mmCIF file of all heavy atoms in Angstrom:
data_model
loop_
_atom_site.group_PDB
_atom_site.id
_atom_site.type_symbol
_atom_site.label_atom_id
_atom_site.label_comp_id
_atom_site.label_asym_id
_atom_site.label_seq_id
_atom_site.Cartn_x
_atom_site.Cartn_y
_atom_site.Cartn_z
ATOM 1 N N GLN R 1 0.838 -1.207 0.006
ATOM 2 C CA GLN R 1 -0.004 -0.020 -0.012
ATOM 3 C C GLN R 1 0.859 1.218 0.025
ATOM 4 O O GLN R 1 1.823 1.370 0.767
ATOM 5 C CB GLN R 1 -0.909 0.030 1.215
ATOM 6 C CG GLN R 1 -1.919 1.142 1.301
ATOM 7 C CD GLN R 1 -2.957 0.908 2.363
ATOM 8 O OE1 GLN R 1 -3.325 -0.219 2.706
ATOM 9 N NE2 GLN R 1 -3.439 2.042 2.875
ATOM 10 N N THR R 2 0.512 2.123 -0.890
ATOM 11 C CA THR R 2 1.071 3.501 -0.906
ATOM 12 C C THR R 2 -0.013 4.530 -1.009
ATOM 13 O O THR R 2 -1.119 4.189 -1.371
ATOM 14 C CB THR R 2 2.042 3.662 -2.150
ATOM 15 O OG1 THR R 2 1.229 3.593 -3.356
ATOM 16 C CG2 THR R 2 3.100 2.558 -2.167
ATOM 17 N N PRO R 3 0.301 5.716 -0.653
ATOM 18 C CA PRO R 3 -0.759 6.807 -0.735
ATOM 19 C C PRO R 3 -1.287 6.884 -2.171
ATOM 20 O O PRO R 3 -2.477 7.130 -2.347
ATOM 21 C CB PRO R 3 -0.007 8.061 -0.263
ATOM 22 C CG PRO R 3 0.994 7.572 0.639
ATOM 23 C CD PRO R 3 1.476 6.266 0.059
ATOM 24 N N GLY R 4 -0.436 6.766 -3.177
ATOM 25 C CA GLY R 4 -0.857 6.927 -4.529
ATOM 26 C C GLY R 4 -1.599 5.709 -5.178
ATOM 27 O O GLY R 4 -2.488 5.919 -5.930
ATOM 28 N N ARG R 5 -1.159 4.533 -4.793
ATOM 29 C CA ARG R 5 -1.705 3.364 -5.397
ATOM 30 C C ARG R 5 -2.743 2.631 -4.575
ATOM 31 O O ARG R 5 -3.460 1.790 -5.074
ATOM 32 C CB ARG R 5 -0.568 2.364 -5.727
ATOM 33 C CG ARG R 5 0.541 2.835 -6.668
ATOM 34 C CD ARG R 5 1.359 1.664 -7.151
ATOM 35 N NE ARG R 5 2.049 1.008 -6.074
ATOM 36 C CZ ARG R 5 3.314 1.227 -5.630
ATOM 37 N NH1 ARG R 5 4.031 2.179 -6.185
ATOM 38 N NH2 ARG R 5 3.790 0.532 -4.645
ATOM 39 N N GLY R 6 -2.843 2.991 -3.299
ATOM 40 C CA GLY R 6 -3.762 2.256 -2.452
ATOM 41 C C GLY R 6 -3.203 0.856 -2.184
ATOM 42 O O GLY R 6 -1.925 0.669 -2.252
ATOM 43 N N ARG R 7 -3.988 -0.033 -1.769
ATOM 44 C CA ARG R 7 -3.533 -1.370 -1.525
ATOM 45 C C ARG R 7 -3.723 -2.301 -2.694
ATOM 46 O O ARG R 7 -4.820 -2.403 -3.231
ATOM 47 C CB ARG R 7 -4.295 -1.962 -0.301
ATOM 48 C CG ARG R 7 -3.701 -3.277 0.274
ATOM 49 C CD ARG R 7 -4.394 -3.731 1.533
ATOM 50 N NE ARG R 7 -4.122 -2.782 2.582
ATOM 51 C CZ ARG R 7 -4.406 -3.010 3.848
ATOM 52 N NH1 ARG R 7 -4.970 -4.076 4.249
ATOM 53 N NH2 ARG R 7 -4.195 -2.096 4.801
ATOM 54 N N GLU R 8 -2.714 -2.906 -3.110
ATOM 55 C CA GLU R 8 -2.689 -3.806 -4.239
ATOM 56 C C GLU R 8 -2.083 -5.161 -3.901
ATOM 57 O O GLU R 8 -1.141 -5.258 -3.111
ATOM 58 C CB GLU R 8 -1.936 -3.165 -5.419
ATOM 59 C CG GLU R 8 -0.481 -2.868 -5.177
ATOM 60 C CD GLU R 8 0.237 -2.144 -6.327
ATOM 61 O OE1 GLU R 8 -0.343 -2.105 -7.432
ATOM 62 O OE2 GLU R 8 1.337 -1.687 -6.114
ATOM 63 N N GLY R 9 -2.611 -6.206 -4.569
ATOM 64 C CA GLY R 9 -2.022 -7.487 -4.316
ATOM 65 C C GLY R 9 -0.743 -7.722 -4.978
ATOM 66 O O GLY R 9 -0.512 -7.335 -6.161
ATOM 67 N N VAL R 10 0.174 -8.345 -4.278
ATOM 68 C CA VAL R 10 1.511 -8.641 -4.768
ATOM 69 C C VAL R 10 1.629 -10.161 -5.202
ATOM 70 O O VAL R 10 2.026 -10.446 -6.284
ATOM 71 C CB VAL R 10 2.635 -8.318 -3.718
ATOM 72 C CG1 VAL R 10 3.963 -8.661 -4.256
ATOM 73 C CG2 VAL R 10 2.528 -6.820 -3.373
ATOM 74 N N SER R 11 1.242 -10.981 -4.280
ATOM 75 C CA SER R 11 1.411 -12.441 -4.473
ATOM 76 C C SER R 11 0.506 -13.205 -3.553
ATOM 77 O O SER R 11 0.128 -12.632 -2.537
ATOM 78 C CB SER R 11 2.897 -12.783 -4.229
ATOM 79 O OG SER R 11 3.110 -14.175 -4.559
ATOM 80 N N CYS R 12 0.280 -14.456 -3.861
ATOM 81 C CA CYS R 12 -0.528 -15.266 -3.006
ATOM 82 C C CYS R 12 -0.034 -16.713 -3.005
ATOM 83 O O CYS R 12 0.647 -17.122 -3.927
ATOM 84 C CB CYS R 12 -2.037 -15.167 -3.375
ATOM 85 S SG CYS R 12 -2.476 -15.905 -5.010
ATOM 86 N N THR R 13 -0.460 -17.407 -2.014
ATOM 87 C CA THR R 13 -0.117 -18.822 -1.835
ATOM 88 C C THR R 13 -1.247 -19.610 -1.200
ATOM 89 O O THR R 13 -1.922 -19.101 -0.313
ATOM 90 C CB THR R 13 1.246 -18.975 -1.087
ATOM 91 O OG1 THR R 13 1.518 -20.383 -1.019
ATOM 92 C CG2 THR R 13 1.070 -18.414 0.313
ATOM 93 N N SER R 14 -1.411 -20.829 -1.655
ATOM 94 C CA SER R 14 -2.293 -21.733 -0.984
ATOM 95 C C SER R 14 -1.492 -23.025 -0.851
ATOM 96 O O SER R 14 -0.350 -23.109 -1.207
ATOM 97 C CB SER R 14 -3.561 -21.967 -1.827
ATOM 98 O OG SER R 14 -3.317 -22.796 -2.971
ATOM 99 N N TYR R 15 -2.199 -24.087 -0.394
ATOM 100 C CA TYR R 15 -1.482 -25.341 -0.137
ATOM 101 C C TYR R 15 -1.110 -25.954 -1.545
ATOM 102 O O TYR R 15 -0.267 -26.866 -1.572
ATOM 103 C CB TYR R 15 -2.349 -26.304 0.653
ATOM 104 C CG TYR R 15 -3.513 -26.957 -0.034
ATOM 105 C CD1 TYR R 15 -3.383 -28.127 -0.727
ATOM 106 C CD2 TYR R 15 -4.726 -26.332 -0.048
ATOM 107 C CE1 TYR R 15 -4.463 -28.741 -1.400
ATOM 108 C CE2 TYR R 15 -5.786 -26.901 -0.768
ATOM 109 C CZ TYR R 15 -5.663 -28.067 -1.401
ATOM 110 O OH TYR R 15 -6.753 -28.657 -2.013
ATOM 111 N N ARG R 16 -1.636 -25.474 -2.585
ATOM 112 C CA ARG R 16 -1.423 -26.154 -3.880
ATOM 113 C C ARG R 16 -0.996 -25.168 -4.936
ATOM 114 O O ARG R 16 -0.614 -25.697 -6.073
ATOM 115 C CB ARG R 16 -2.662 -26.906 -4.336
ATOM 116 C CG ARG R 16 -3.886 -26.008 -4.576
ATOM 117 C CD ARG R 16 -5.013 -26.804 -5.112
ATOM 118 N NE ARG R 16 -4.756 -27.294 -6.485
ATOM 119 C CZ ARG R 16 -5.527 -28.095 -7.204
ATOM 120 N NH1 ARG R 16 -6.601 -28.636 -6.660
ATOM 121 N NH2 ARG R 16 -5.166 -28.441 -8.433
ATOM 122 N N ASP R 17 -1.002 -23.937 -4.762
ATOM 123 C CA ASP R 17 -0.554 -22.978 -5.866
ATOM 124 C C ASP R 17 0.000 -21.722 -5.328
ATOM 125 O O ASP R 17 -0.295 -21.318 -4.186
ATOM 126 C CB ASP R 17 -1.631 -22.761 -6.868
ATOM 127 C CG ASP R 17 -2.780 -21.866 -6.411
ATOM 128 O OD1 ASP R 17 -3.088 -21.927 -5.175
ATOM 129 O OD2 ASP R 17 -3.258 -21.089 -7.169
ATOM 130 N N ASN R 18 0.835 -21.072 -6.123
ATOM 131 C CA ASN R 18 1.345 -19.673 -5.835
ATOM 132 C C ASN R 18 1.073 -18.900 -7.123
ATOM 133 O O ASN R 18 1.048 -19.345 -8.229
ATOM 134 C CB ASN R 18 2.801 -19.682 -5.573
ATOM 135 C CG ASN R 18 3.173 -20.532 -4.416
ATOM 136 O OD1 ASN R 18 2.478 -20.684 -3.404
ATOM 137 N ND2 ASN R 18 4.411 -21.171 -4.432
ATOM 138 N N GLU R 19 0.882 -17.562 -6.895
ATOM 139 C CA GLU R 19 0.716 -16.634 -7.953
ATOM 140 C C GLU R 19 1.378 -15.304 -7.654
ATOM 141 O O GLU R 19 1.557 -14.966 -6.525
ATOM 142 C CB GLU R 19 -0.811 -16.314 -8.195
ATOM 143 C CG GLU R 19 -1.651 -17.482 -8.534
ATOM 144 C CD GLU R 19 -1.506 -17.887 -10.002
ATOM 145 O OE1 GLU R 19 -0.911 -17.216 -10.804
ATOM 146 O OE2 GLU R 19 -1.879 -19.070 -10.320
ATOM 147 N N ILE R 20 1.882 -14.710 -8.708
ATOM 148 C CA ILE R 20 2.400 -13.382 -8.659
ATOM 149 C C ILE R 20 1.442 -12.491 -9.404
ATOM 150 O O ILE R 20 1.144 -12.654 -10.551
ATOM 151 C CB ILE R 20 3.833 -13.238 -9.275
ATOM 152 C CG1 ILE R 20 4.809 -14.201 -8.564
ATOM 153 C CG2 ILE R 20 4.284 -11.765 -9.282
ATOM 154 C CD1 ILE R 20 5.084 -13.704 -7.177
ATOM 155 N N TRP R 21 0.912 -11.442 -8.685
ATOM 156 C CA TRP R 21 -0.095 -10.632 -9.256
ATOM 157 C C TRP R 21 0.478 -9.370 -10.002
ATOM 158 O O TRP R 21 -0.187 -8.778 -10.912
ATOM 159 C CB TRP R 21 -1.029 -10.126 -8.176
ATOM 160 C CG TRP R 21 -1.984 -11.130 -7.654
ATOM 161 C CD1 TRP R 21 -2.739 -12.028 -8.494
ATOM 162 C CD2 TRP R 21 -2.493 -11.304 -6.357
ATOM 163 N NE1 TRP R 21 -3.574 -12.778 -7.690
ATOM 164 C CE2 TRP R 21 -3.459 -12.340 -6.365
ATOM 165 C CE3 TRP R 21 -2.162 -10.739 -5.147
ATOM 166 C CZ2 TRP R 21 -4.110 -12.731 -5.248
ATOM 167 C CZ3 TRP R 21 -2.826 -11.160 -4.000
ATOM 168 C CH2 TRP R 21 -3.786 -12.171 -4.074
ATOM 169 N N ILE R 22 1.677 -8.923 -9.630
ATOM 170 C CA ILE R 22 2.235 -7.701 -10.234
ATOM 171 C C ILE R 22 3.330 -8.047 -11.106
ATOM 172 O O ILE R 22 4.314 -8.701 -10.776
ATOM 173 C CB ILE R 22 2.724 -6.808 -9.076
ATOM 174 C CG1 ILE R 22 1.581 -6.372 -8.161
ATOM 175 C CG2 ILE R 22 3.338 -5.540 -9.679
ATOM 176 C CD1 ILE R 22 2.065 -5.499 -7.003
ATOM 177 N N ASP R 23 3.185 -7.700 -12.421
ATOM 178 C CA ASP R 23 4.183 -8.071 -13.379
ATOM 179 C C ASP R 23 5.587 -7.560 -13.069
ATOM 180 O O ASP R 23 6.513 -8.217 -13.342
ATOM 181 C CB ASP R 23 3.730 -7.578 -14.755
ATOM 182 C CG ASP R 23 2.605 -8.334 -15.361
ATOM 183 O OD1 ASP R 23 2.342 -9.495 -14.888
ATOM 184 O OD2 ASP R 23 1.964 -7.867 -16.308
ATOM 185 N N SER R 24 5.644 -6.355 -12.481
ATOM 186 C CA SER R 24 6.966 -5.759 -12.279
ATOM 187 C C SER R 24 7.811 -6.463 -11.228
ATOM 188 O O SER R 24 9.001 -6.184 -11.151
ATOM 189 C CB SER R 24 6.764 -4.272 -11.908
ATOM 190 O OG SER R 24 6.080 -4.074 -10.700
ATOM 191 N N VAL R 25 7.155 -7.335 -10.413
ATOM 192 C CA VAL R 25 7.977 -8.033 -9.414
ATOM 193 C C VAL R 25 8.278 -9.442 -9.881
ATOM 194 O O VAL R 25 9.012 -10.146 -9.161
ATOM 195 C CB VAL R 25 7.306 -8.073 -8.004
ATOM 196 C CG1 VAL R 25 6.868 -6.652 -7.653
ATOM 197 C CG2 VAL R 25 6.118 -9.008 -8.020
ATOM 198 N N LYS R 26 7.795 -9.910 -10.983
ATOM 199 C CA LYS R 26 8.032 -11.294 -11.425
ATOM 200 C C LYS R 26 9.524 -11.460 -11.763
ATOM 201 O O LYS R 26 10.121 -10.537 -12.369
ATOM 202 C CB LYS R 26 7.210 -11.609 -12.692
ATOM 203 C CG LYS R 26 5.720 -11.757 -12.441
ATOM 204 C CD LYS R 26 4.922 -12.078 -13.643
ATOM 205 C CE LYS R 26 3.475 -12.240 -13.347
ATOM 206 N NZ LYS R 26 2.643 -12.517 -14.572
ATOM 207 N N GLY R 27 10.122 -12.511 -11.264
ATOM 208 C CA GLY R 27 11.551 -12.640 -11.455
ATOM 209 C C GLY R 27 12.335 -12.140 -10.282
ATOM 210 O O GLY R 27 13.502 -12.437 -10.172
ATOM 211 N N ARG R 28 11.709 -11.270 -9.451
ATOM 212 C CA ARG R 28 12.428 -10.687 -8.347
ATOM 213 C C ARG R 28 11.861 -11.205 -6.969
ATOM 214 O O ARG R 28 12.601 -11.315 -6.086
ATOM 215 C CB ARG R 28 12.333 -9.146 -8.395
ATOM 216 C CG ARG R 28 12.991 -8.535 -9.683
ATOM 217 C CD ARG R 28 13.110 -7.088 -9.595
ATOM 218 N NE ARG R 28 11.736 -6.381 -9.555
ATOM 219 C CZ ARG R 28 11.280 -5.682 -8.564
ATOM 220 N NH1 ARG R 28 12.031 -5.477 -7.453
ATOM 221 N NH2 ARG R 28 10.088 -5.151 -8.616
ATOM 222 N N PHE R 29 10.566 -11.361 -6.959
ATOM 223 C CA PHE R 29 9.895 -11.734 -5.693
ATOM 224 C C PHE R 29 9.468 -13.173 -5.783
ATOM 225 O O PHE R 29 8.993 -13.622 -6.826
ATOM 226 C CB PHE R 29 8.610 -10.869 -5.447
ATOM 227 C CG PHE R 29 8.844 -9.434 -5.128
ATOM 228 C CD1 PHE R 29 10.136 -8.819 -5.202
ATOM 229 C CD2 PHE R 29 7.850 -8.664 -4.593
ATOM 230 C CE1 PHE R 29 10.290 -7.496 -4.886
ATOM 231 C CE2 PHE R 29 8.013 -7.318 -4.328
ATOM 232 C CZ PHE R 29 9.297 -6.773 -4.387
ATOM 233 N N THR R 30 9.516 -13.882 -4.690
ATOM 234 C CA THR R 30 9.151 -15.279 -4.544
ATOM 235 C C THR R 30 8.350 -15.493 -3.280
ATOM 236 O O THR R 30 8.828 -15.051 -2.213
ATOM 237 C CB THR R 30 10.346 -16.235 -4.568
ATOM 238 O OG1 THR R 30 11.124 -16.038 -5.764
ATOM 239 C CG2 THR R 30 9.891 -17.684 -4.585
ATOM 240 N N ILE R 31 7.182 -16.098 -3.385
ATOM 241 C CA ILE R 31 6.464 -16.398 -2.242
ATOM 242 C C ILE R 31 6.611 -17.875 -1.833
ATOM 243 O O ILE R 31 6.757 -18.718 -2.743
ATOM 244 C CB ILE R 31 4.938 -16.132 -2.428
ATOM 245 C CG1 ILE R 31 4.175 -16.054 -1.092
ATOM 246 C CG2 ILE R 31 4.262 -17.049 -3.401
ATOM 247 C CD1 ILE R 31 2.743 -15.504 -1.193
ATOM 248 N N SER R 32 6.627 -18.215 -0.619
ATOM 249 C CA SER R 32 6.813 -19.579 -0.173
ATOM 250 C C SER R 32 6.079 -19.723 1.158
ATOM 251 O O SER R 32 5.765 -18.761 1.884
ATOM 252 C CB SER R 32 8.300 -19.993 -0.032
ATOM 253 O OG SER R 32 8.981 -19.136 0.898
ATOM 254 N N ARG R 33 5.855 -20.992 1.513
ATOM 255 C CA ARG R 33 5.170 -21.337 2.735
ATOM 256 C C ARG R 33 5.896 -22.479 3.503
ATOM 257 O O ARG R 33 6.378 -23.399 2.902
ATOM 258 C CB ARG R 33 3.738 -21.660 2.503
ATOM 259 C CG ARG R 33 3.515 -22.850 1.549
ATOM 260 C CD ARG R 33 2.115 -22.929 1.002
ATOM 261 N NE ARG R 33 1.099 -23.320 1.929
ATOM 262 C CZ ARG R 33 0.080 -22.549 2.291
ATOM 263 N NH1 ARG R 33 -0.057 -21.326 1.741
ATOM 264 N NH2 ARG R 33 -0.807 -23.001 3.182
ATOM 265 N N ASP R 34 5.981 -22.294 4.780
ATOM 266 C CA ASP R 34 6.581 -23.264 5.617
ATOM 267 C C ASP R 34 5.429 -23.893 6.470
ATOM 268 O O ASP R 34 4.858 -23.271 7.388
ATOM 269 C CB ASP R 34 7.609 -22.640 6.615
ATOM 270 C CG ASP R 34 8.383 -23.725 7.412
ATOM 271 O OD1 ASP R 34 7.763 -24.673 7.835
ATOM 272 O OD2 ASP R 34 9.592 -23.458 7.641
ATOM 273 N N ARG R 35 5.107 -25.123 6.205
ATOM 274 C CA ARG R 35 3.949 -25.751 6.751
ATOM 275 C C ARG R 35 4.221 -26.221 8.202
ATOM 276 O O ARG R 35 3.292 -26.538 8.916
ATOM 277 C CB ARG R 35 3.460 -26.922 5.889
ATOM 278 C CG ARG R 35 3.021 -26.511 4.495
ATOM 279 C CD ARG R 35 2.742 -27.678 3.569
ATOM 280 N NE ARG R 35 1.534 -28.364 3.993
ATOM 281 C CZ ARG R 35 1.072 -29.456 3.366
ATOM 282 N NH1 ARG R 35 1.805 -30.022 2.398
ATOM 283 N NH2 ARG R 35 -0.086 -30.031 3.762
ATOM 284 N N VAL R 36 5.465 -26.258 8.581
ATOM 285 C CA VAL R 36 5.791 -26.626 9.938
ATOM 286 C C VAL R 36 5.690 -25.414 10.848
ATOM 287 O O VAL R 36 5.071 -25.417 11.964
ATOM 288 C CB VAL R 36 7.196 -27.229 10.068
ATOM 289 C CG1 VAL R 36 7.581 -27.443 11.494
ATOM 290 C CG2 VAL R 36 7.293 -28.521 9.292
ATOM 291 N N LYS R 37 6.234 -24.239 10.423
ATOM 292 C CA LYS R 37 6.168 -23.008 11.149
ATOM 293 C C LYS R 37 4.889 -22.223 10.971
ATOM 294 O O LYS R 37 4.694 -21.191 11.591
ATOM 295 C CB LYS R 37 7.365 -22.138 10.781
ATOM 296 C CG LYS R 37 8.748 -22.737 11.085
ATOM 297 C CD LYS R 37 9.860 -21.817 10.782
ATOM 298 C CE LYS R 37 11.174 -22.436 11.056
ATOM 299 N NZ LYS R 37 12.281 -21.495 10.712
ATOM 300 N N ASN R 38 3.983 -22.615 10.033
ATOM 301 C CA ASN R 38 2.868 -21.861 9.710
ATOM 302 C C ASN R 38 3.169 -20.466 9.257
ATOM 303 O O ASN R 38 2.511 -19.521 9.733
ATOM 304 C CB ASN R 38 1.820 -21.898 10.831
ATOM 305 C CG ASN R 38 1.237 -23.282 11.097
ATOM 306 O OD1 ASN R 38 1.271 -24.163 10.234
ATOM 307 N ND2 ASN R 38 0.573 -23.529 12.212
ATOM 308 N N THR R 39 4.147 -20.283 8.488
ATOM 309 C CA THR R 39 4.652 -18.994 8.127
ATOM 310 C C THR R 39 4.770 -18.906 6.611
ATOM 311 O O THR R 39 5.238 -19.895 5.944
ATOM 312 C CB THR R 39 6.054 -18.782 8.788
ATOM 313 O OG1 THR R 39 5.914 -18.744 10.189
ATOM 314 C CG2 THR R 39 6.633 -17.408 8.335
ATOM 315 N N VAL R 40 4.423 -17.763 6.150
ATOM 316 C CA VAL R 40 4.550 -17.446 4.667
ATOM 317 C C VAL R 40 5.605 -16.375 4.535
ATOM 318 O O VAL R 40 5.726 -15.421 5.332
ATOM 319 C CB VAL R 40 3.245 -16.948 4.123
ATOM 320 C CG1 VAL R 40 3.422 -16.457 2.692
ATOM 321 C CG2 VAL R 40 2.171 -18.124 4.131
ATOM 322 N N TYR R 41 6.440 -16.500 3.512
ATOM 323 C CA TYR R 41 7.562 -15.641 3.284
ATOM 324 C C TYR R 41 7.386 -14.929 1.951
ATOM 325 O O TYR R 41 6.804 -15.537 1.037
ATOM 326 C CB TYR R 41 8.918 -16.387 3.299
ATOM 327 C CG TYR R 41 9.181 -17.148 4.571
ATOM 328 C CD1 TYR R 41 8.918 -18.471 4.653
ATOM 329 C CD2 TYR R 41 9.719 -16.445 5.675
ATOM 330 C CE1 TYR R 41 9.165 -19.170 5.822
ATOM 331 C CE2 TYR R 41 9.938 -17.141 6.890
ATOM 332 C CZ TYR R 41 9.671 -18.506 6.874
ATOM 333 O OH TYR R 41 9.954 -19.196 8.082
#
C-alpha cells in the first residue's frame, strides 16, 4: 500500500498453488510457505 496506489495484491499462496499478481515483481519476488512453522515468506 502506498498513498498513490492504495492497497494492491503482490502475491498469494495456497497449499497447492502460488501466484504473482504484479508483473513488475516477477523474477524478483518469490512467495513460499513453511507448513511446519505456519509461516509465509
Side-chain angles (χ1 to χ4, degrees):
Q1 184 168 330
T2 65
R5 299 193 301 264
R7 189 172 297 189
E8 59 184 350
V10 178
S11 185
C12 66
T13 182
S14 74
Y15 74 93
R16 61 175 291 173
D17 73 324
N18 300 327
E19 298 285 343
I20 301 293
W21 283 321
I22 301 179
D23 286 343
S24 63
V25 310
K26 290 180 178 178
R28 299 189 295 117
F29 291 10
T30 303
I31 195 167
S32 61
R33 59 199 288 119
D34 187 325
R35 300 172 71 182
V36 175
K37 297 180 179 180
N38 293 343
T39 298
V40 173
Y41 303 98

